[in-house]
Amino acid sequence: MYIRGWLTGLIVFLLAPSLLFASLWFYNKFENVSAIDRSLSGLSLVQALGPLIQEKAISGEISHAPPQLRQELSEFGGIDRSDYLNGLLVNFIEEEDVSKSLRKGRDLAIAIAQMGQLTTSGTYEGSKLPHLLNDMLLSVVIESTKMAENARKLSKRPVINVWDKMSIPVQGGQFKVAADGASRETSRNFGLLNGPQAEKLRQKAEQYRKANVEFQSNGAKLLSTTIKASTGKDITTEPVIAAHPMLVQATFMLWQGVLDYMNEDLQQQRTETVFAVSLAGIVGAIVILGAFGIAIALSRALADRTQREFEDLGFHDPMTGLPNRRALLRAIRKLPETSAEDKVGLIVFDLRQFKKINNQHGDRNGDSILRSVADQLATLAEPEDFLSRTSGSEFVLLRSNLKENEDFEQAAREIIEAISNERTVGELKVALEANAGLYIKQPGSPVTESMLIDATLALRSAKQKGPRQNDTFAPEMRTIFEKHNETAHELLDAIDAGNIVPWFQPQIDINTGTIIGAEALVRWIDKGNIRYPGSFLPAAEDAGYMELIEQIVRQQALALAADLTKRKKGQIHLGLNVSADLLGNREAADALHDNILKMGLKPSDFSLEILEAVMIDETASIPIKENIARLSELGFFIELDDFGTGHSSISSLRDLHVDRVKIDRSFISGVDKNPDLQKFTSALINLAKSLDISVLAEGVETAGEFNWLRRNGCDVVQGFLISKAIPVEQLMDMILQQDRQSAGHERELYQAMEA
Ligand code: C2E
Ligand code: CA
Ligand code: CA
């Protein structure tokens, strides 16, 4: 919209000078037309005067002056000159001396011609005609009339003196000057004129010249007889007096012709000007409309292009320059129908723990890292692949000409390996780990946007497998996902209803049998049935409810610890399984510490069970390690859960401030009967012992396992042999009962186990 406005403005700006010149031109032309109109009304006034002058010249008086003439003269002269013109008219009509009256008439005609600008309004060829009309021809009339008048006067004189004799040649000379001038002027000017009127004019000029010659020859007789005459009767006046009206008539015919010509000339001039103005108006209007039309078309084209650019912008990720999610979906939609017969592949890549990297190094560095990954992906992708950044640290590769599944999966693995490395971005060193989820559309199945969802489900599954893993979509994944969704929904209700609670599994000193701790394990009390973590924690993790659940567990564990301190003196560690989320989040860890102090408890009352996999996760190691070190310093007991499954090294155990390792059940089950397993398990125990780290065995189910463990240096056991996880009240009873029991009773238990 704005662009259209600007463009129109620009065109108006460019057109403005032309419009200005055009208006000036039009103004000028309109001025011309009104000047011509004025000349035409002047000419019609002169026309009205003509017959009056003619009548006066021939008959010596004016029988009837048109009454409207005065009015017309007033209008023509305007306020300034109305009186002047009317004064001349009155003089002309009322003056009794014919010659004088005629001169007034001529003055009036000349004044009108001047005011009507008759000399400048017409064409160049006609520019001399007003002079001929009002000056010369009227002078011929005046001078010839004067001659006839003189002739009449002299013929009546009894005596002709020298002055009388001189007056005739003088007057004759004046007439001749006027008459010959008119003659000369006509032949000189009329040759230039053209058109049908011009021809008529030339004929009239010829008649005038004849009448002039006739009058002059009669005038010559008057002249010669006057010079010799003694009385009036000696003078030959008759022929001149007789020739006078003919000359006047011929002159007036010529006069009328000249006037007609001028009239026609002006009319034509006017028509041409009006035509030119109209034509220019039409052309101008067409040009302006055309320009605006072009402007509108251009602006529309521009607006369309801008629209497309905006849309393109909506399809691009400005940060990496790659197409975005919308663009990917569009690309999927645009896949040809024939793709249904081909294989189409999608790989969704994601960087593990990218949110943490972002938090730790700042968004700007995070962006630089993502750009470096985008650049790398662009070089790793095939030229026909469609690569996009769909969200956060997620990139998707679409391959529409996929041949072999294996090749595609191999490509995914290679890309994961290429991205998963330690890289230097700017001055920053970061270790990245990637996962990939694949979707392969088989020939015959339709191309749909849900392919992307399926690839993302495969990515989830790959992430659960661990760093650098990939997985290919299988329909179960969707079922699991849907189930998770449903479970997560129900879970929220269960949380609200207080049906999520920790149960506690006791841990005993392997040598004394005393309960020295208990692990809090979450349970879902679902309409009288117990649901175990394996059935809902994955869903909770997906839905992001882990923190919520752990808070409940921690809160109740804290309450139990407070209760225990009140009732019992000996120290019991309550084991809390902590997720990577809590470890990565300093505020949450601080809040836990604050709560413990507020309740009059000590951090050392609690063991934090950290999965070995989390603890040694390369990517997450730095912030998590720092936080674990802090928690250890605050006094928390740090336990390495599922020890043996994560391949910790001696150095990592030392660095991580681990107080106790919990050997995973897979190294305990049947250990007493399996020599191969014994090698591993004793190696694990020795590794911990060499670092002065306490050893707990998980999942001890048999006395044989128990005894093997005791012989091989294990410190603490936890397992069904002792007890399953039990509700808090039962644990309390168990501890209180143990307190009451004697050491002897304990010894009995031991003897039974060893048997
Ligand atoms: P884990 O931390 O390794 O917990 C030990 C699991 O082994 C528990 O399963 C426990 O019931 C089971 N177990 C104990 N002794 C025996 C035995 O003698 N034989 C056998 N077969 N199993 C035994 P559970 O309660 O189903 O918990 C499973 C996992 O759920 C736990 O593994 C832990 O990783 C997770 N979990 C439970 N509660 C929480 C919690 O509050 N927070 C977090 N983050 N994870 C939790
Ligand atoms: Ca545990
Ligand atoms: Ca464990």
Side-chain angles (χ1 to χ4, degrees), residues 519-521 576-577 609-611 639 641-642 662 698 718:
E519 178 180 3
L521 292 163
L576 298 172
N577 289 290
E609 296 192 13
I610 301 162
L611 286 176
E639 292 192 357
D641 204 355
D642 294 357
K662 293 184 79 175
E698 274 192 303
Q718 175 183 349

Side-chain angles (χ1 to χ4, degrees), residues 79 329 436 608 733:
I79 301 168
L329 291 174
L608 301 181
D733 287 350

Side-chain angles (χ1 to χ4, degrees), residues 161-291:
N161 60 29
V162 177
W163 289 109
D164 295 333
K165 287 182 183 179
M166 275 176 67
S167 73
I168 291 295
V170 168
Q171 179 56 39
Q174 279 174 356
F175 165 74
K176 194 163 170 59
V177 168
D180 288 356
S183 238
R184 208 174 35 248
E185 202 78 353
T186 50
S187 56
R188 190 189 294 160
N189 278 314
F190 291 0
L192 295 171
L193 306 179
N194 41 39
Q197 284 291 335
E199 193 44 45
K200 278 187 201 162
L201 208 54
R202 278 190 281 273
Q203 284 168 10
K204 283 173 182 164
E206 195 49 44
Q207 282 164 5
Y208 157 75
R209 271 191 289 275
K210 275 185 192 152
N212 182 28
V213 169
E214 178 69 22
F215 187 79
Q216 281 192 22
S217 71
N218 292 324
K221 285 175 195 158
L222 172 71
L223 215 83
S224 58
T225 50
T226 305
I227 289 165
K228 291 181 222 148
S230 338
T231 71
K233 287 182 181 123
D234 298 337
I235 301 170
T236 316
T237 55
E238 285 312 312
V240 156
I241 292 167
H244 171 243
M246 271 145 58
L247 177 62
V248 170
Q249 259 165 17
T251 308
F252 267 101
M253 274 179 49
L254 179 58
W255 183 89
Q256 187 60 51
V258 170
L259 196 135
D260 287 348
Y261 182 92
M262 285 173 69
N263 198 30
E264 188 161 296
D265 186 33
L266 285 172
Q267 290 287 4
Q268 194 179 334
Q269 195 87 344
R270 190 181 192 281
T271 314
E272 277 171 10
T273 310
V274 169
F275 177 75
V277 167
S278 318
L279 190 70
I282 289 166
V283 170
I286 289 170
V287 166
I288 290 168
L289 286 176

